[in-house]
């Protein structure tokens, strides 16, 4: 349980990190909070030749407010975002989901962008980003680009990010007037990976449900405003379309059941708290 | 900063429990191993080495961290606190440690160092926690002896004592 050897670069500027990433290609990995990368290194599931530590780059430690979004840079730790007093009014969904991300002891190290880069299919932060239709801001030595969350997550721990790119920041859309939000998850214990996690966004015209832990990536679907059996039927169809599979944590059938029950719960809660 | 090569050792400096520490490591050395093998601070225990059990929890700049999920080189220039730094003097336990002893909140003691460091950090930011909040903090640790209940009682009592002391200062 010790990492294989690698070179280590503590980058002092974004330019330095991008140049090293450009040179290192697929052999280089960005190290931020390390809460997902270090276990993979310890278990030797990852054997990069170079780790580029970005946590001391001043330009990557900002949380900034734009007109419609809160933009969280790559070196911002989850605990910092959770401790932000205005988070509940800015991005209520993220405020509801963040306490479920890992533990007190890992949120103090892990970053928001690191969780997005890792793209675990059951992870809460990618789920929120997909539910809210947020965007990922990528940067390489040559170019910058923005990718919508729905296009960014490609499969299990697979993203649209190129080997020479790093996630500079992610943008969570701010609370919109008339929208309600809710989050719920079921796991074996608090802080464990979710078996199923659901995020709901409801406004005057549509209900949007995003689900993690079932398909190979977080998936969202928009519904018109439904209730009663029409909502049951729509959720049932969605649950089947996600093509759940059995694994050691839960059966496919149980996962579908959670999509139906948690899905209904978050949509009803989101509709009830519409402001 | 120059790139640190995989096969050679590099000097790392940080503060360990208030005292300067310096040692030489390969980039891949974990903070757990640096603490235990190079600095002799064996109070930090190593359980699972992939961030699940919480035994190796230490404080980095006041925030809890799994030392097994931290490279020693990442700790350069930081303030590290470990279980060795909790007691105010060799003959006296800290308030939290004394409460653990009173409530039998440990048995074999393997997980205890990490749990004390977590609670130390949590109580510093949350002086009046609920039992529910403490349960959530403890969800980041595995203990196979106690069933956790005495730890909650000990932490609640320590928090009350710490608040009382803060008033009288």
């Amino acid at each position: 349980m010790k990492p294989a050897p690698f070179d280590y670069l503590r980058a002092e500027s974004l330019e330095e990190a991008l140049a090293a990433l450009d040179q290192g290609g697929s052999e280089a990995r960005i190290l931020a909070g390390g809460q997902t990368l270090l276990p993979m290194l310890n278990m030797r599931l990852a054997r990069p030749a170079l780790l580029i530590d970005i946590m001391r780059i001043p330009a990557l430690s900002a949380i900034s407010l734009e007109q419609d979004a809160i933009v969280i840079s790559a070196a911002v730790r989850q605990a910092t975002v959770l401790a932000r007093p205005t988070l509940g009014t800015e991005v209520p969904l993220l405020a509801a989901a963040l306490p479920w991300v890992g533990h007190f002891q890992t949120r103090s190290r892990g970053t928001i962008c690191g969780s997005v880069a890792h793209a675990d299919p059951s992870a809460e932060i990618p789920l929120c980003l997909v539910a809210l239709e947020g965007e990922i801001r990528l940067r390489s030595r040559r170019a910058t680009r923005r990718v919508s969350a729905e296009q960014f997550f490609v499969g299990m721990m697979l993203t649209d990010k190129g080997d020479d790119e790093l996630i500079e920041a992610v943008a969570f859309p701010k609370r919109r007037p008339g929208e309600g939000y809710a989050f719920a998850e079921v796991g074996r214990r608090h802080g464990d990976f979710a078996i199923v996690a659901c995020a709901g966004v409801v406004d005057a015209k549509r209900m949007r449900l995003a689900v993690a832990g079932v398909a190979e990536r977080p998936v969202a679907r928009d519904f018109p405003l439904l209730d009663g059996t029409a909502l049951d039927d729509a959720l049932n169809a969605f649950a089947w379309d996600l093509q759940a599979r059995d694994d050691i944590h839960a059966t496919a059938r149980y996962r579908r059941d959670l999509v139906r029950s948690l899905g209904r719960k978050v949509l009803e809660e989101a509709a009830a708290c519409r402001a | 900063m120059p790139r640190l090569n995989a096969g050679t050792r590099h000097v790392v400096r940080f503060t360990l429990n208030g005292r300067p520490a310096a040692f030489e490591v390969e980039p891949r050395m974990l903070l757990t191993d640096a603490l235990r093998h190079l600095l002799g601070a064996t109070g930090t225990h190593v359980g699972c080495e992939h961030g699940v059990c919480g035994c190796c929890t230490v404080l980095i700049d006041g925030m809890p961290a799994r030392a097994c999920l931290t490279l020693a080189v990442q700790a350069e220039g930081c303030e590290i606190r470990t279980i060795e730094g909790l007691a105010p003097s060799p003959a006296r336990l800290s308030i939290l440690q004394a409460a653990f002893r009173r409530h039998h909140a440990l048995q074999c003691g393997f997980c205890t160092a990490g749990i004390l460091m977590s609670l130390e950090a949590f109580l510093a930011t949350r002086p009046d926690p609920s039992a529910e909040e403490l349960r959530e903090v403890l969800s980041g640790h595995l203990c196979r002896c106690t069933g956790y209940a005495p730890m909650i009682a000990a932490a609640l009592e320590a928090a009350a004592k710490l608040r009382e002391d803060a008033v009288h200062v």
Side-chain angles (χ1 to χ4, degrees), chain B residues 38-81:
Chain B
L38 300 180
L39 298 171
T42 53
T44 298
H45 292 168
V46 181
C48 70
E49 265 186 344
H50 64 289
V52 174
C53 75
C55 289
C56 67
T57 303
V58 299
L59 305 189
I60 302 180
D61 294 334
M63 297 290 277
R66 310 291 209 209
C68 76
L69 298 188
T70 309
L71 300 170
V73 289
Q74 282 178 286
E76 169 73 37
C78 294
E79 247 180 67
I80 311 292
R81 278 188 78 200

Side-chain angles (χ1 to χ4, degrees), chain B residues 12-25:
Chain B
V12 171
R13 290 188 176 81
F14 55 57
T15 311
L16 177 60
N17 298 318
R19 296 211 186 99
F23 51 91
E24 291 189 353
V25 290

Side-chain angles (χ1 to χ4, degrees), chain A residues 1-12 16 20 23 31-36 38-39 41-44 49-51 53 55-56 79 99 102-109 189-191, chain B residues 1-7 26-28 30 32-33 37 48-52 57 60 63-66 68-71 73-78 118 121-122 125 136-142:
Chain A
M1 297 291 281
K2 313 289 180 194
F6 49 77
D7 290 1
Y8 171 86
L9 176 72
R10 187 183 302 121
E12 277 160 13
E16 188 184 9
Q23 214 179 12
L31 172 64
Q35 300 304 288
T36 46
L38 260 291
L41 294 176
N42 286 359
M43 292 188 268
R44 302 202 178 193
L50 169 65
L51 286 190
D53 186 345
M55 293 306 279
R56 312 225 183 173
H103 299 282
F104 171 65
Q105 299 86 351
T106 60
R107 291 192 296 267
S108 57
R109 300 290 292 171
R189 286 161 305 187
H190 190 107
Chain B
M1 180 203 160
R3 180 163 161 161
L4 305 183
N5 285 320
E26 286 182 26
R28 67 175 173 143
L30 301 173
T32 39
D33 291 336
H37 302 315
C48 70
E49 265 186 344
H50 64 289
V52 174
T57 303
I60 302 180
M63 297 290 277
R66 310 291 209 209
C68 76
L69 298 188
T70 309
L71 300 170
V73 289
Q74 282 178 286
E76 169 73 37
C78 294
S118 271
F122 186 68
T125 56
E136 207 178 304
V137 171
L138 289 183
S139 76
H141 293 274
L142 291 175

Side-chain angles (χ1 to χ4, degrees), chain A residues 209-273:
Chain A
L209 175 64
V211 176
V214 185
E216 298 208 322
R217 59 193 179 87
V219 177
R221 182 174 286 185
D222 289 331
F223 306 98
L225 294 182
L226 298 170
D227 56 15
T229 53
L231 181 55
D232 286 336
D233 291 346
L235 289 171
N236 185 47
F238 187 28
W240 281 96
D241 288 346
L242 290 169
Q243 303 194 339
R245 278 190 296 214
D246 295 333
D247 64 20
I248 55 166
H249 304 291
T251 60
R253 185 178 171 184
Y254 181 53
R255 286 197 161 89
R256 283 191 296 273
D257 199 47
L258 285 176
V259 173
R260 290 185 286 256
S261 56
L262 285 185
R264 186 168 190 118
K265 178 179 146 85
V266 296
L267 288 177
E268 285 175 354
E269 274 180 29
C273 68

Side-chain angles (χ1 to χ4, degrees), chain A residues 9 27 30 38 40 73 105 124 163 166 169 212-213 215 226 250:
Chain A
L9 176 72
E27 293 290 296
I30 296 292
L38 260 291
M40 291 175 72
S73 302
Q105 299 86 351
E124 294 86 359
D163 285 338
L166 63 77
L226 298 170

